[in-house]
Amino acid sequence: MLIIFLGVISQWLAWRFRLPAIVLMSIAGLLVGPILNIIHPEESLGELFKPVISLAVAIILFEGSLNLNFKEIRGFNKPVWRIVTFGAFIAWISGSLAAHYIAGLSWAVAFVIGGLFIVTGPTVILPLLRQAKLKARPAAILKWEGIIVDPFGALLALFAFQFVLFAIGDETAGAFGLFFLASLFAVALGAGVGWLLGWMFEKGQVPEFLKAPIVFGVVLLTFVLSDIVMHETGLLAVTAMGMVMANMHIASINDMRHFKENISVLLISSIFVMLTASLSLDVLIEIFNWRIVAFVLATLFVVRPLSIWLSTIGTDLTNQEKTLIGWIAPRGIVALTVSGYFAGVLLEAGFDDAELLTALTFALVFSTVVVHGFTIGWLGRKLGLATGDDPGIIIVGVGRFALKLAEALSEYNKNLLIMDASWGRLQPARLAGMKTFTGEILSEHTEYELDMTPYETMILAGEIDSYNALVMNNYVPEFGRENLYKTAIHQGDPGDYHSSLKGRTLFGHEWNIHELDMKAEEGYTIRKTQLTEQYTYEDYKKKWSADTILLFIYREQGKIEFFTSDNFPEPKLGDTVVSFTSPARQSDRIQERLENKRAKNNSPQPKE
């Protein structure tokens, strides 16, 4: 109970205060484990500890690979493949050299752990990308590298271990053949099971309510069957399975993806707390060994940048992108769990220096998680590769009122996009100098053509209520229900719509998009009123007529708050109230401007 609670509360605190979730989870585990000595997960779970973690890693890795659609890297697939192949090889060799010459490990142990440390993994990189809001290209490269290299790191360490056993005479050359056959079997098993499951879904052989549970069970089965053939190949099998299903364009793939994502968040939260809580004080003390500290620094500032800059020579990556990708490489659950396995088998093989692996791995994991977690957003903004602190707004629909609203919002939010399926309907917006996108918001094509990372709010201003509700329901997982707005229901009873489809209604239940468009035709205009000590909100309300439609408040701090049917924010001094006003109120606007100008002229001037 405590593990799950600490995991999810760490995620919530990270969201609430914009902190790296992985850091908070690690700190929570250390506090209740080795520091305060409250729980001991490894002792409590006994023999179940490692299997539970392994199965959780399989689910997390499959969920990540379920997002690897090849359309996403169209146009920059060359740097991705260079990084996960040539870059991984450079990281292995240079990491092994650092482990031997700096950490003082024997050649055998150094090459095993060097292979393992090429991993980054979805358990750490995906939460960081969610927090940092990088632009589409660097985010996609980091995501693909993390998911693909994860199983390869474990396999590389296994290959190095097999080679070590062969070198000391404990294995024959046939062990290498078995290793490659087991790897091919894992890929074939995962791809075959993924294709079969996708085919069954598309042919209607599985009912909707059973799809997610069946995927869950089959992923675990695939992982275990492959791992029985050879240890650590299960990760490769579930990655292949996820990639095949992601590229089959299964109709229900989004529902499965959201279900698996929810499970993955819970598993990542719990597993990080379990692993850090299971460490001993001796391990924590040992990580301050100067050799371990020097190895971590070499990995951060030499090994990782070297592998990225060398492997991307001749690609179209900019220096800014190389710098960011060459810095961000947090290690996570796979490194911690797999290093524990290799520490055991290396000690059994007679390599006493393998005792250092647990402390070395945790030092690298914790330091990279902390350092990269706190710097990814800052560095992304400095290099111009983040979306910035100004959360964008998308307006879907381009009627008369939507254009006026977009013009008003664009004065306060430079990151505004107005989109519609009709190129012709967007012409007035283009002539007004606004950023536009022509495309169907629900199409898969739009999903890959339009980067929605910079946008935090979506306003649905289409003419068909059911279409607005459908779009809103589709984008709830990405934007959150609190950031999705639509105009009031036009036809039928609003109660006819399921509560999950209603969303937040802008400006009140009486103002549907057709009424608003009619007001725009009648000559209604946008009115902006800044509240001052001379002209307060009380003064504004006295002149506020029944035909005035309050749209939003622009706070003095730079935040936009919409008036909705369930939220009527209170304006304060310094805020600007933006409304949609009848042309008959033009005289009031002129009078307001004169009063504001007079108030400024009468205000005392500062002395020089």
Side-chain angles (χ1 to χ4, degrees):
M1 178 279 299
L2 190 59
I3 288 169
I4 294 173
F5 173 76
L6 288 174
V8 295
I9 203 68
S10 296
Q11 292 272 11
W12 181 81
L13 288 172
W15 167 82
R16 182 67 180 81
F17 297 105
R18 295 183 177 272
L19 296 171
I22 302 296
V23 175
L24 296 186
M25 290 184 279
S26 302
I27 292 173
L30 291 174
L31 285 175
V32 298
I35 296 176
L36 299 178
N37 210 27
I38 297 174
I39 58 173
H40 304 279
E42 191 167 9
E43 294 180 11
S44 302
L45 293 175
E47 293 184 358
L48 282 176
F49 181 76
K50 290 182 179 178
V52 164
I53 291 178
S54 296
L55 293 174
V57 170
I59 293 291
I60 294 165
L61 198 56
F62 172 77
E63 188 272 327
S65 61
L66 206 59
N67 293 295
L68 298 183
N69 193 312
F70 289 112
K71 287 184 179 179
E72 185 180 17
I73 57 171
R74 187 171 52 198
F76 56 94
N77 56 336
K78 183 179 179 180
V80 170
W81 296 120
R82 291 277 291 274
I83 288 171
V84 301
T85 52
F86 188 42
F89 178 77
I90 295 172
W92 176 35
I93 300 302
S94 54
S96 301
L97 292 173
H100 175 70
Y101 287 110
I102 299 177
L105 298 177
S106 63
W107 281 113
V109 177
F111 270 99
V112 172
I113 205 65
L116 177 61
F117 282 168
I118 70 170
V119 303
T120 52
T123 60
V124 282
I125 200 65
L126 294 182
L128 290 188
L129 293 177
R130 195 178 297 123
Q131 164 215 338
K133 293 188 176 180
L134 299 179
K135 290 183 177 178
R137 185 153 121 155
I141 291 173
L142 286 169
K143 181 180 77 172
W144 275 72
E145 181 203 9
I147 296 169
I148 293 177
V149 171
D150 234 27
F152 284 163
L155 288 176
L156 201 55
L158 187 62
F159 170 78
F161 178 65
Q162 295 288 343
F163 182 80
V164 167
L165 294 182
F166 173 74
I168 63 176
D170 287 355
E171 288 284 1
T172 63
F176 287 104
L178 180 61
F179 167 79
F180 287 111
L181 285 175
S183 301
L184 289 174
F185 170 77
V187 173
L189 176 66
V193 170
W195 180 86
L196 179 62
L197 209 55
W199 178 83
M200 290 177 65
F201 288 172
E202 288 297 275
K203 295 297 181 181
Q205 300 298 314
V206 180
E208 290 295 325
F209 76 96
L210 276 181
K211 285 183 178 179
I214 284 180
V215 169
F216 188 87
V218 171
V219 167
L220 297 182
L221 177 65
T222 304
F223 172 78
V224 172
L225 286 177
S226 184
D227 236 38
I228 288 174
V229 174
M230 180 167 283
H231 201 60
E232 304 305 335
T233 59
L235 298 177
L236 189 60
V238 296
T239 302
M241 179 180 171
M243 289 183 68
V244 167
M245 295 186 72
N247 289 277
M248 288 182 69
H249 309 294
I250 302 170
S252 54
I253 192 74
N254 283 334
D255 295 334
M256 287 188 290
R257 189 179 290 136
H258 297 322
F259 171 76
K260 307 293 282 185
E261 185 179 11
N262 292 335
I263 292 179
S264 292
V265 169
L266 184 62
L267 290 176
I268 290 171
S269 307
S270 304
I271 296 304
F272 254 99
V273 174
M274 285 175 63
L275 287 172
T276 51
S278 297
L279 295 170
S280 64
L281 277 175
D282 293 337
V283 171
L284 293 183
I285 294 170
E286 196 172 9
I287 67 174
F288 295 102
N289 182 313
W290 75 268
R291 285 186 172 275
I292 292 180
V293 173
F295 171 77
V296 170
L297 293 174
T299 303
L300 287 171
F301 294 101
V302 179
V303 174
R304 173 65 177 182
L306 185 70
S307 66
I308 296 300
W309 282 84
L310 289 180
S311 64
T312 54
I313 292 174
T315 66
D316 62 347
L317 288 187
T318 65
N319 289 337
Q320 289 83 355
E321 289 171 329
K322 292 179 183 179
T323 301
L324 179 66
I325 297 169
W327 171 245
I328 302 301
R331 276 67 173 183
I333 290 174
V334 171
L336 280 174
T337 55
V338 178
S339 70
Y341 164 75
F342 282 111
V345 295
L346 284 167
L347 284 171
E348 288 178 9
F351 297 97
D352 295 335
D353 56 333
E355 288 181 342
L356 195 65
L357 290 189
T358 302
L360 191 69
T361 305
F362 179 73
L364 185 62
V365 168
F366 190 74
S367 59
T368 55
V369 162
V370 171
V371 173
H372 295 154
F374 280 108
T375 59
I376 183 172
W378 172 83
L379 185 60
R381 289 189 294 272
K382 285 291 183 183
L383 296 173
L385 299 175
T387 57
D389 295 325
D390 188 15
I393 300 173
I394 296 180
I395 298 179
V396 181
V398 65
R400 289 179 179 270
F401 171 75
L403 280 172
K404 290 185 176 292
L405 178 63
E407 289 174 3
L409 287 169
S410 62
E411 290 190 28
Y412 303 108
N413 190 310
K414 303 303 179 186
N415 193 11
L416 182 132
L417 173 72
I418 184 164
M419 68 179 298
D420 194 89
S422 169
W423 187 87
R425 284 167 59 89
L426 284 170
Q427 186 175 4
R430 286 194 299 272
L431 292 175
M434 286 183 279
K435 184 180 177 182
T436 63
F437 179 85
T438 305
E440 169 55 59
I441 186 70
L442 293 174
S443 75
E444 187 181 15
H445 173 76
T446 300
E447 183 179 346
Y448 295 107
E449 292 296 323
L450 176 63
D451 177 22
M452 292 195 180
T453 308
Y455 305 101
E456 190 174 87
T457 302
M458 181 181 286
I459 297 174
L460 303 168
E463 297 178 352
I464 304 174
D465 299 325
S466 56
Y467 177 80
N468 292 339
L470 180 61
V471 174
M472 193 213 70
N473 194 55
N474 190 68
Y475 279 93
V476 163
E478 283 78 14
F479 285 82
R481 204 172 297 277
E482 69 280 1
N483 295 321
L484 287 167
Y485 299 88
K486 64 181 183 63
T487 52
I489 301 297
H490 169 56
Q491 293 179 331
D493 183 358
D496 292 341
Y497 288 82
H498 192 276
S499 58
S500 65
L501 297 174
K502 289 180 180 178
R504 306 187 70 183
T505 303
L506 287 170
F507 323 132
H509 289 299
E510 66 274 23
W511 297 114
N512 61 65
I513 193 63
H514 298 279
E515 290 285 343
L516 292 168
D517 282 344
M518 286 177 60
K519 296 297 182 185
E521 286 187 32
E522 292 171 8
Y524 270 55
T525 56
I526 298 293
R527 175 183 178 185
K528 308 178 189 72
T529 307
Q530 185 174 14
L531 303 181
T532 63
E533 292 183 0
Q534 290 77 25
Y535 192 81
T536 65
Y537 185 50
E538 294 300 321
D539 297 326
Y540 178 80
K541 285 197 293 186
K542 289 176 184 177
K543 297 182 178 179
W544 174 21
S545 63
D547 57 4
T548 298
I549 305 170
L550 297 181
L551 302 181
F552 61 88
I553 297 172
Y554 180 71
R555 297 291 186 187
E556 192 175 17
Q557 299 81 9
K559 183 181 179 182
I560 293 174
E561 288 187 37
F562 290 98
F563 290 95
T564 65
S565 59
D566 60 350
N567 181 41
F568 200 88
E570 184 77 16
K572 300 176 183 177
L573 289 179
D575 294 346
T576 300
V577 181
V578 180
S579 59
F580 200 40
T581 309
S582 165
R585 311 299 294 181
Q586 289 291 338
S587 58
D588 290 343
R589 296 179 63 194
I590 295 171
Q591 184 180 351
E592 272 182 28
R593 289 177 181 175
L594 290 173
E595 289 177 358
N596 286 332
K597 187 175 182 180
R598 193 179 302 116
K600 289 179 182 178
N601 291 335
N602 293 334
S603 60
Q605 298 298 317
K607 295 181 180 180
E608 293 185 2

